[in-house]
Amino acid sequence: MPGVGIGGRIVAESRFQSLNSEYFGSVPDVEMTSTKPRRAWLAALLSLLGGPLGQVYTGHFGRGVLLWLIGTFLLPILWFLTVFLPLGRVGLMLLLLCALAFPIYLAVDAFLLARRNSGGPLKRYQRWWVYVLLFLVCVVANRAVTYAVRSFVAEPVVQPVRAMSPAIQAGDCVLIEKCYSSAERLRHHDIVAFRSDGLDSPLYVMRVAGLPGETIEIRNERVLINGVQWHDKCAVFEGPLSPHVDLANYGPLKIPSDCFFVLGDNRRVSKDSRLLGPIPFVDFYGKVRMIYWSQARVFPDPGDTSHYLPGPIRWDRMGTRLD
């Protein structure tokens, strides 16, 4: 009967497709004409270059993407904890170890996957243009995460001059917190970063000496706040006073309600509010939390801080908290 013949053919085709899927995998994921072996060294190299590329190259797309997502969001979390928790050198070393260990883990994982699966049919996503596309996606995503961390969590900045010495020395790289910092929450002795002339001006790093509404005055290098001497144990007075401007005396001045007053610890060489005036809240950039790297700078001409020679790395200063 015609109906039986058609039904038998349908059943036969169904059984053939079932056997085909059982032995060769589903049709959309497998291309049976390609049986190139996976090179272990190339899988490891691809992981070092582009996150999940090594795992995708070995045919483990989901595993590669999952590991890459874990690594992408793990480092910002560790960065956040290092900035806000009092971990010091321990937290900094943990962050560095994770930053180095995770790419190595991805490379080793891809290498072992390739060794265990050295041959077999290629899946449809194992194509050169897929690798290029994934590489571009990884680059864009990593840049986006880096931008978000620098904009909303913390930003690294190099202190180029000696205005805050000895607390922050020339060549110290500091982390500026930008997550919870606000000018309205400043306190005396806080070390802050700010701009003096809008977005195009360089960043200054100074210590808060006066808050809104306070009257500040400097007499013979002694700081008076509302008529009471302010004892700043971090201040140093090295070298001669400038003959061009009187830095030993200032004010009295009542600080406006939307400004704060800053001084450098190295009082005789610091360009601070004695020259810049009170700093508006809108120029506040963030609060300095810690030193994460330090390399000395040698100035052949002490009066010219724009030219210097790199000095030794100061390992003992790394991880120093400033809050």
Side-chain angles (χ1 to χ4, degrees):
M1 297 176 61
V4 175
I6 295 174
R9 186 165 62 250
I10 292 175
V11 172
E13 290 176 355
S14 177
R15 294 188 63 184
F16 174 79
Q17 291 177 357
S18 177
L19 291 173
N20 182 47
S21 299
E22 179 179 355
Y23 289 99
F24 299 103
S26 59
V27 174
D29 291 335
V30 177
E31 190 170 300
M32 294 179 290
T33 58
S34 299
T35 57
K36 293 182 179 180
R38 304 288 85 185
R39 297 179 177 88
W41 66 268
L42 182 56
L45 180 61
L46 288 173
S47 285
L48 291 175
L49 292 177
L53 291 183
Q55 282 72 19
V56 174
Y57 173 75
T58 61
H60 298 79
F61 187 91
R63 180 190 184 99
V65 172
L66 178 61
L67 289 175
W68 173 71
L69 289 175
I70 292 174
T72 300
F73 292 101
L74 177 63
L75 290 181
I77 292 174
L78 291 175
W79 189 264
F80 181 90
L81 295 177
T82 302
V83 172
F84 292 101
L85 295 182
L87 300 178
R89 290 185 179 89
V90 175
L92 185 61
M93 293 303 299
L94 178 63
L95 178 66
L96 293 176
L97 287 176
C98 289
L100 294 175
F102 198 80
I104 296 175
Y105 169 76
L106 287 178
V108 172
D109 180 69
F111 182 88
L112 295 177
L113 289 174
R115 289 289 297 271
R116 289 198 296 263
N117 187 19
S118 58
L122 297 182
K123 298 182 180 180
R124 290 191 179 275
Y125 56 75
Q126 292 176 292
R127 297 290 183 270
W128 68 267
W129 59 269
V130 177
Y131 302 147
V132 173
L133 180 61
L134 282 176
F135 176 77
L136 295 177
V137 170
C138 290
V139 170
V140 173
N142 289 336
R143 287 185 176 272
V145 171
T146 301
Y147 176 80
V149 170
R150 292 173 64 97
S151 300
F152 304 107
V153 180
E155 180 177 353
V157 173
V158 179
Q159 173 71 351
V161 295
R162 297 166 293 179
M164 281 296 295
S165 177
I168 304 177
Q169 301 179 14
D172 283 348
C173 300
V174 298
L175 288 180
I176 300 176
E177 174 208 330
K178 303 175 72 176
C179 187
Y180 295 119
S181 293
S182 65
E184 291 81 0
R185 299 167 61 182
L186 292 178
R187 299 175 300 175
H188 292 104
H189 298 284
D190 283 348
I191 301 178
V192 298
F194 62 92
R195 299 187 187 277
S196 63
D197 298 311
L199 296 177
D200 296 330
S201 67
L203 279 176
Y204 292 86
V205 175
M206 300 288 172
R207 191 180 298 275
V208 175
L211 299 175
E214 295 180 339
T215 299
I216 191 165
E217 183 179 4
I218 301 176
R219 298 178 185 173
N220 297 322
E221 299 186 314
R222 293 186 303 113
V223 180
L224 304 176
I225 299 177
N226 295 331
V228 180
Q229 184 173 351
W230 182 51
H231 297 283
D232 186 5
K233 298 180 180 180
C234 298
V236 296
F237 305 89
E238 298 178 351
L241 287 168
S242 172
H244 306 292
V245 60
D246 185 10
L247 297 178
N249 298 280
Y250 182 89
L253 172 71
K254 185 174 182 179
I255 303 173
S257 60
D258 59 346
C259 296
F260 57 96
F261 196 93
V262 296
L263 291 172
D265 288 350
N266 198 352
R267 294 289 166 78
R268 295 182 178 179
V269 299
S270 174
K271 183 181 178 181
D272 46 42
S273 286
R274 292 172 294 178
L275 300 175
L276 303 174
I279 308 302
F281 283 173
V282 294
D283 291 335
F284 174 76
Y285 196 75
K287 185 177 179 181
V288 178
R289 287 291 187 179
M290 69 180 298
I291 299 171
Y292 75 94
W293 177 260
S294 181
Q295 184 173 12
R297 293 186 175 186
V298 180
F299 299 96
D301 182 3
D304 183 9
T305 58
S306 61
H307 296 86
Y308 63 90
L309 299 175
I313 297 175
R314 297 177 292 216
W315 300 99
D316 59 316
R317 296 186 60 78
M318 297 182 190
T320 302
R321 304 293 303 190
L322 299 171
D323 51 2

